């Protein structure tokens, strides 16, 4: 819902009797919201002075109020289709995945094309994906498009291939293997084109409702011609203005900067691919994979990066790139440096360009991110899913290289802006789980405090779109907040000496839920965007 359209509907609300997470007052228990903004934050005693002059008083009954989360990397339609359709992300074996596919196909006889997501053969005892003959038999010979968990490769049936006759001659087509590259993009376009506008709208609304139920007030949609379609992108932006729900900031991953602007994008950014993914062996590396005799695939060179960054900077739009492998990240840095040499460092820094994922960083590339003011839009759930000495990263890279991935502490020490997201449906929309994953990184030296991780998932998402006035509950900030039922509030840091000091009341550090693995995560009771309620937990 647009801010201007809702001005007349705003009520003045006093929330009291809880815990308000605010840097304005670390001991705040009450908050006043007026005209879509935070008007006041303070103590319970002072709240009495406001009680008679507001339209509504909300008794928090001890609940915690925090800024709403920002998910800085989402594929909304694909997320909705996974929520409402065939999801293999929890399948524990090839046999279980096969049974889910068979049952789904049988339950949807009228669907022209079957779409599913989430298989990950690296987690299965069989250590192999389903073959095309197997898929043909499971679906009765119908078209099926089934993305791997990282969305960078796909399994398809013969009937799906037949819908794109030229695919067998494209890069990324190897008979009997998952599709990657151009072949994958062509089949993905055909599959999503077959989704009706009604199905698409249903999926988008489902995804936004789900995000709101988890305390998310804003999502950054990462669309693009190799990912979705212009119709999908513009329909989502329109849907987001038509009713209560999370804000949607759209990024269109296209080197046609003016086209991105015309579509309503905040930037020609997001998943503009410099490379692929580690799981699909398509991330671009300096040294070969540990389990494959090659170094992945590069989709852009430094000259193309420089041209795009220059064009976006001059147009007043953000540029951004998907870069995971160390070689791909190096290419992006080289291109950004060339643009800075041409336009001046200050203009590049002011534009707040982004790099999505940014997993295989070195001390030198971390320093370059800081120098050029690049935002690292990262996904801590990737480490939770695939990190550690026996995880997928170690299979692909070997344990030593795998331990260097996702160095959040080094990024923070260097002053690199962090924005957290899910890349849903690659990993689930799960903001508190994301904060936990960063604070309890599988590689201890990369861990950051819960407070820093929470900031990256709230204020960091706003900063990533150029807003420094939001993402905290202070007077004047947009009233985007969530209300949580949770346990004791604590301060958690990787160094327990910091934690002990920070929990001393004299430190004035606002507490957050205890996210120690095994503890239940906070439960969202209400989500509010610009003063408008977009979710209420049933029964509240």
């Amino acid at each position: 819902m647009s801010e201007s359209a809702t001005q007349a509907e705003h009520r003045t609300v006093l929330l009291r009797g809880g815990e308000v997470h605010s840097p304005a007052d670390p001991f705040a228990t009450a908050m006043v919201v007026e005209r879509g903004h935070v008007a006041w934050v303070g103590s319970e005693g002072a709240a009495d002075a406001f009680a008679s002059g507001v339209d509504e008083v909300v008794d928090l009954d001890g609940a915690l109020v925090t800024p709403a989360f920002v998910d800085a990397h989402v594929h909304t339609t694909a997320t909705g289709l996974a929520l409402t359709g065939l999801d293999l992300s929890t399948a524990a074996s090839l046999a279980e995945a096969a049974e889910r596919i068979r049952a789904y196909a049988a339950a949807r006889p009228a669907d022209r094309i079957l779409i599913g997501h989430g298989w990950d053969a690296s987690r299965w005892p069989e250590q192999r994906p389903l073959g095309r003959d197997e898929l043909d038999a499971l679906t009765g010979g119908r078209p099926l498009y089934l993305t791997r968990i990282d969305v960078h490769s796909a399994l398809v049936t013969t009937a799906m291939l037949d819908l794109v006759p030229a695919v067998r001659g494209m890069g990324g087509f190897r008979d009997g293997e998952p599709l990657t590259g151009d072949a994958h993009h062509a089949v993905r376009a055909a599959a999503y084109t077959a989704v009706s506008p009604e199905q698409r709208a249903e999926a988008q609304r489902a995804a936004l409702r789900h995000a709101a139920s988890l305390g998310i007030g804003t999502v950054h949609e990462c669309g693009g011609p190799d990912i979705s379609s212009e119709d999908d992108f513009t329909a989502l932006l329109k849907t987001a203005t038509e009713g209560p729900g999370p804000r949607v900031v759209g990024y269109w991953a296209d080197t046609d900067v003016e086209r991105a602007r015309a579509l309503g994008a905040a930037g020609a950014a997001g998943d503009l691919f410099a490379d692929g993914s580690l799981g699909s062996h398509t991330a671009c590396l300096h040294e070969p994979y540990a389990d494959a005799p090659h170094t992945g695939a590069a989709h852009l060179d430094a000259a193309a990066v420089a041209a795009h960054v220059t064009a976006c900077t001059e147009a007043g739009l953000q540029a951004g790139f998907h870069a995971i492998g160390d070689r791909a990240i190096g290419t992006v840095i080289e291109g950004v440096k060339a643009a800075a040499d041409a336009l001046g460092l200050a203009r590049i820094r002011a534009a707040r360009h982004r790099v999505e994922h940014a997993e295989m960083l070195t001390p030198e590339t971390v320093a370059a991110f800081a120098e050029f003011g690049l935002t690292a839009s990262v996904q801590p759930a990737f480490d939770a899913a695939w990190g550690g000495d026996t995880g997928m990263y170690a299979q692909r890279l070997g344990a030593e290289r795998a331990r260097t991935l996702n160095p959040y502490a080094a990024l923070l020490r260097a002053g690199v802006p962090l924005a957290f997201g899910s890349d849903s449906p690659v990993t689930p929309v799960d903001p508190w789980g994301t904060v936990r994953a960063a604070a309890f990184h599988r590689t201890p030296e990369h861990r950051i405090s819960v407070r820093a991780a929470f900031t990256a998932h709230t204020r960091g998402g706003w900063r990533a779109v150029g807003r420094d006035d939001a993402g905290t509950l202070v007077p004047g900030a947009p009233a985007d907040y969530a209300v949580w039922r949770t346990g004791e509030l604590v301060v958690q840091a990787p160094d327990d000496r910091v934690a002990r000091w920070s929990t001393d009341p004299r430190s004035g550090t606002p507490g957050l839920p205890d996210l120690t693995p095994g503890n239940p995560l906070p439960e969202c009771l209400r989500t509010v965007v610009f003063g408008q309620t977009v979710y209420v937990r049933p029964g509240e």
Side-chain angles (χ1 to χ4, degrees):
M1 184 178 293
S2 68
E3 297 179 4
S4 60
T6 61
Q7 287 281 1
E9 304 170 30
H10 286 302
R11 292 160 57 82
T12 302
V13 179
L14 167 64
L15 298 93
R16 64 185 305 179
E19 302 281 349
V20 179
H21 186 87
S22 172
D25 182 346
F27 309 110
T29 60
M31 180 172 76
V32 173
V33 173
E34 187 174 25
R35 293 191 296 277
H37 291 81
V38 177
W40 172 84
V41 174
S43 66
E44 190 62 27
D48 290 335
F50 295 95
S52 62
V54 299
D55 299 311
E56 181 183 3
V57 177
V58 175
D59 181 4
L60 294 170
D61 191 25
L64 170 67
V65 182
T66 71
F69 285 104
V70 177
D71 192 318
H73 194 120
V74 176
H75 304 287
T76 307
T77 301
T79 296
L81 290 170
L83 287 169
T84 60
L86 175 57
D87 182 3
L88 300 182
S89 61
T90 58
S93 66
L94 182 148
E96 183 180 344
E99 176 53 29
R100 291 192 191 184
I101 293 167
R102 186 205 62 74
Y104 185 78
R108 303 183 75 94
D111 286 7
R112 177 170 174 255
I113 287 183
L114 302 169
I115 295 178
H117 168 73
W119 62 272
D120 184 357
S122 71
R123 294 184 176 182
W124 295 346
E126 300 86 352
Q127 288 289 298
R128 70 167 182 88
L130 288 149
R132 193 176 307 143
D133 290 346
E134 293 170 298
L135 294 172
D136 288 346
L138 290 167
T139 59
R142 296 161 66 193
L144 168 71
Y145 169 71
L146 190 61
T147 48
R148 190 186 180 280
I149 187 71
D150 58 11
V151 199
H152 283 270
S153 58
L155 301 173
V156 297
T157 56
T158 302
M160 186 73 236
L161 286 178
D162 290 344
L163 294 177
V164 190
V167 70
R168 291 173 173 83
M170 293 181 179
F173 179 87
R174 292 175 295 277
D175 202 23
E177 297 184 27
L179 301 178
T180 61
D182 290 343
H184 177 212
H185 296 161
V187 171
R188 174 164 51 194
Y192 281 109
T193 297
V195 174
S196 70
E198 293 76 21
Q199 285 176 298
R200 181 175 63 210
E202 176 192 11
Q204 291 174 346
R205 287 193 292 265
L208 293 176
R209 283 196 303 269
H210 182 61
S213 76
L214 295 169
I216 293 171
T218 302
V219 299
H220 297 180
E221 163 68 12
C222 290
D226 290 333
I227 301 160
S228 52
S229 69
E230 293 184 3
D231 287 345
D232 181 273
F233 186 74
T234 55
L236 174 63
L237 296 183
K238 184 172 185 290
T239 294
T241 67
E242 291 177 339
R247 307 164 187 267
V248 175
V249 178
Y251 287 95
W252 186 250
D254 196 338
T255 53
D256 185 341
V257 174
E258 289 310 312
R259 188 63 191 149
R261 187 198 297 278
L263 292 173
D271 276 334
L272 184 55
F273 296 122
D275 67 346
S277 73
L278 292 166
S280 292
H281 292 101
T282 52
C284 191
L285 315 180
H286 282 300
E287 301 295 331
Y289 284 87
D291 60 351
H294 62 81
T295 57
H299 300 309
L300 296 171
D301 60 19
V305 170
H308 187 62
V309 171
T310 299
C312 287
T313 304
E314 291 182 329
L317 289 176
Q318 285 179 287
F321 305 90
H322 162 120
I324 287 178
D326 50 2
R327 186 173 178 182
I329 292 171
T331 296
V332 169
I333 293 298
E334 185 182 349
V336 173
K337 182 180 186 305
D341 289 344
L343 298 179
L345 179 61
R347 289 185 68 186
I348 297 299
R349 289 179 59 86
R352 302 195 189 190
H353 302 308
R354 299 169 53 140
V355 180
E356 310 298 316
H357 317 308
E359 293 199 84
M360 290 186 71
L361 292 161
T362 65
E364 292 74 23
T365 50
V366 168
F369 269 60
E371 179 183 2
F372 298 121
L374 298 174
T375 294
S377 171
V378 297
Q379 295 74 39
F382 287 7
D383 175 74
W386 302 311
D389 286 351
T390 60
M392 182 271 286
Y393 290 153
Q395 293 174 31
R396 295 290 185 269
L397 302 172
E400 184 177 349
R401 269 194 298 178
R403 290 187 201 109
T404 68
L405 265 60
N406 301 303
Y408 303 137
L411 287 163
L412 280 182
R413 283 195 300 270
V416 176
L418 289 182
F420 281 178
S422 63
D423 198 10
S424 179
V426 175
T427 53
V429 177
D430 179 16
W432 284 114
T434 295
V435 173
R436 171 185 280 171
F440 295 91
H441 197 295
R442 289 179 181 271
T443 305
E445 57 263 37
H446 299 331
R447 293 174 179 171
I448 60 177
S449 70
V450 167
R451 183 183 181 192
F454 178 79
T455 298
H457 217 344
T458 50
R459 194 173 186 185
W462 284 96
R463 286 174 166 171
V465 297
R467 292 279 298 270
D468 293 329
D469 62 338
T472 59
L473 299 180
V474 297
D480 284 29
Y481 62 90
V483 181
W484 308 92
R485 180 178 291 127
T486 188
E488 179 186 5
L489 303 184
V490 299
V491 174
Q492 290 176 292
D495 185 330
D496 68 38
R497 292 170 300 172
V498 176
R500 287 198 302 270
W501 172 80
S502 298
T503 51
D504 186 319
R506 291 171 297 179
S507 71
T509 302
L512 284 165
D514 185 347
L515 301 184
T516 302
N519 283 356
L521 294 174
E523 182 178 40
C524 185
L525 305 180
R526 181 181 298 262
T527 306
V528 175
V529 176
F530 198 61
Q532 303 296 304
T533 298
V534 300
Y535 169 77
V536 177
R537 183 179 180 274
E540 291 298 322

